[in-house]
């Protein structure tokens, strides 16, 4: 049997957490705010630690976490009750907006969109304004390029199948680790709704990698 992909492992972990919490029921994306909280609690029980979190008290254009403890690998969860208008999601690290990123994303099985020498990593091409859930894995070795794998789910109308966007990306920085993450909506007139949140987790066995 071939090894399971990272996307499958993340999906399996999500399913396992909710089966534990809900008596064996199968609960998949999208997650409401209560389910998001349950998922985070279960991650802590499974040996993860929370490195940082932002919950917007009012609508804002960016979800941003600064100055969190660096780890070799970490998991980022984003949950939003919606956006003020249809908008794309652009990912940046450590405030870098130079052409130091590259990415490839696929939406609902369509042909991949690729972009080298980009100013950010696109996690959503811009067609959504509703509830959203993003699970992102980040590899963060200081002297190597920083790589990401992201899977996002965006529901449509009540009876419609949800949309899916999968992104792989790289930040071409080899001079230090990631200590800041931002997910910015474009166009800039769009905002994440209040109560949108982003949380960064790492396993408790992952060692600090920043030099003292």
């Amino acid at each position: 049997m071939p090894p399971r992909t990272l996307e499958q492992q993340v999906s399996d972990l999500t399913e396992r957490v909710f089966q534990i919490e809900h008596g064996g029921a199968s609960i998949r994306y999208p997650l409401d705010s209560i389910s998001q909280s349950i998922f985070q609690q279960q991650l802590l029980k499974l040996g993860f630690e929370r490195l940082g979190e932002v919950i917007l008290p009012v609508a804002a254009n960016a979800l941003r976490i600064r100055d969190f403890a660096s780890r070799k690998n970490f998991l980022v969860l984003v949950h939003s009750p919606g956006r003020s208008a249809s908008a794309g999601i652009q990912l940046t690290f450590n405030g870098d907006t130079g052409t130091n990123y590259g990415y490839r994303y696929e939406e609902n099985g369509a042909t991949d969109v690729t972009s080298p020498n980009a100013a950010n990593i696109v996690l959503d091409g811009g067609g959504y304004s509703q509830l959203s859930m993003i699970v992102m894995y980040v590899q963060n070795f200081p002297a190597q390029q920083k790589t990401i794998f992201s899977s996002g789910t965006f529901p449509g109308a009540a009876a419609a199948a949800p949309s899916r966007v999968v992104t792989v990306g790289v930040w071409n920085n080899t001079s230090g680790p990631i200590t800041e993450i931002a997910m910015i909506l474009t166009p800039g007139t769009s905002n994440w709704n209040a109560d949108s949140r982003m949380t960064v987790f790492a396993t408790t066995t992952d060692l600090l990698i920043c030099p003292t």
Side-chain angles (χ1 to χ4, degrees):
M1 179 179 295
R4 298 184 67 74
T5 66
L6 180 57
E7 182 180 12
Q8 290 169 327
Q9 293 177 45
V10 170
S11 178
D12 288 347
L13 175 59
T14 305
E15 178 74 356
R16 178 186 172 194
V17 166
F18 282 103
Q19 285 180 339
I20 291 170
E21 194 67 30
H22 297 274
S26 178
I27 299 180
R28 294 285 188 175
Y29 304 142
L31 302 181
D32 59 25
S33 59
I34 296 175
S35 297
Q36 172 79 357
S37 177
I38 292 170
F39 189 19
Q40 292 192 16
Q41 292 170 17
Q42 291 298 326
L43 283 173
L44 296 177
K45 292 179 183 178
L46 291 171
F48 286 80
E49 62 176 322
R50 185 185 292 113
L51 301 183
E53 182 174 59
V54 59
I55 303 174
L56 296 180
V58 296
N61 178 247
L63 289 169
R64 192 185 312 271
I65 300 177
R66 293 187 172 98
D67 301 325
F68 56 85
S70 183
R71 297 290 190 273
K72 298 175 185 176
N73 307 282
F74 49 86
L75 178 70
V76 181
L77 299 181
V78 174
H79 172 265
S80 174
R83 311 170 208 174
S84 61
S86 294
I89 302 173
Q90 298 178 343
L91 171 71
T92 63
F93 296 119
N94 293 12
D96 183 6
T97 56
T99 54
N100 300 313
Y101 302 87
Y103 64 85
R104 177 187 300 271
Y105 83 87
E106 173 262 313
E107 183 174 0
N108 295 330
T111 302
D112 286 0
V113 175
T114 61
S115 181
N117 305 312
N120 50 67
I121 296 172
V122 170
L123 302 182
D124 166 5
Y128 307 104
S129 61
Q130 61 271 46
L131 178 79
S132 56
M133 170 69 180
I134 297 171
V135 178
M136 183 173 72
Y137 180 77
V138 182
Q139 197 169 44
N140 185 33
F141 292 90
Q144 298 180 20
Q145 294 174 314
K146 314 304 185 287
T147 55
I148 72 103
F149 175 91
S150 170
S151 180
T153 303
F154 310 94
S163 294
R164 181 198 68 230
V165 179
V166 176
T167 302
V168 292
V170 62
W171 180 36
N172 295 305
N173 171 52
T174 59
S175 61
I178 295 167
T179 57
E180 177 186 322
I181 295 177
M183 292 191 186
I184 303 166
L185 296 185
T186 181
T189 53
S190 300
N191 288 321
W192 296 97
N193 289 349
D195 295 326
S196 296
R197 69 173 66 196
M198 177 166 63
T199 312
V200 178
F201 289 94
T203 61
T204 54
T205 57
D206 200 355
L207 298 177
L208 282 167
I209 59 173
C210 290
T212 56

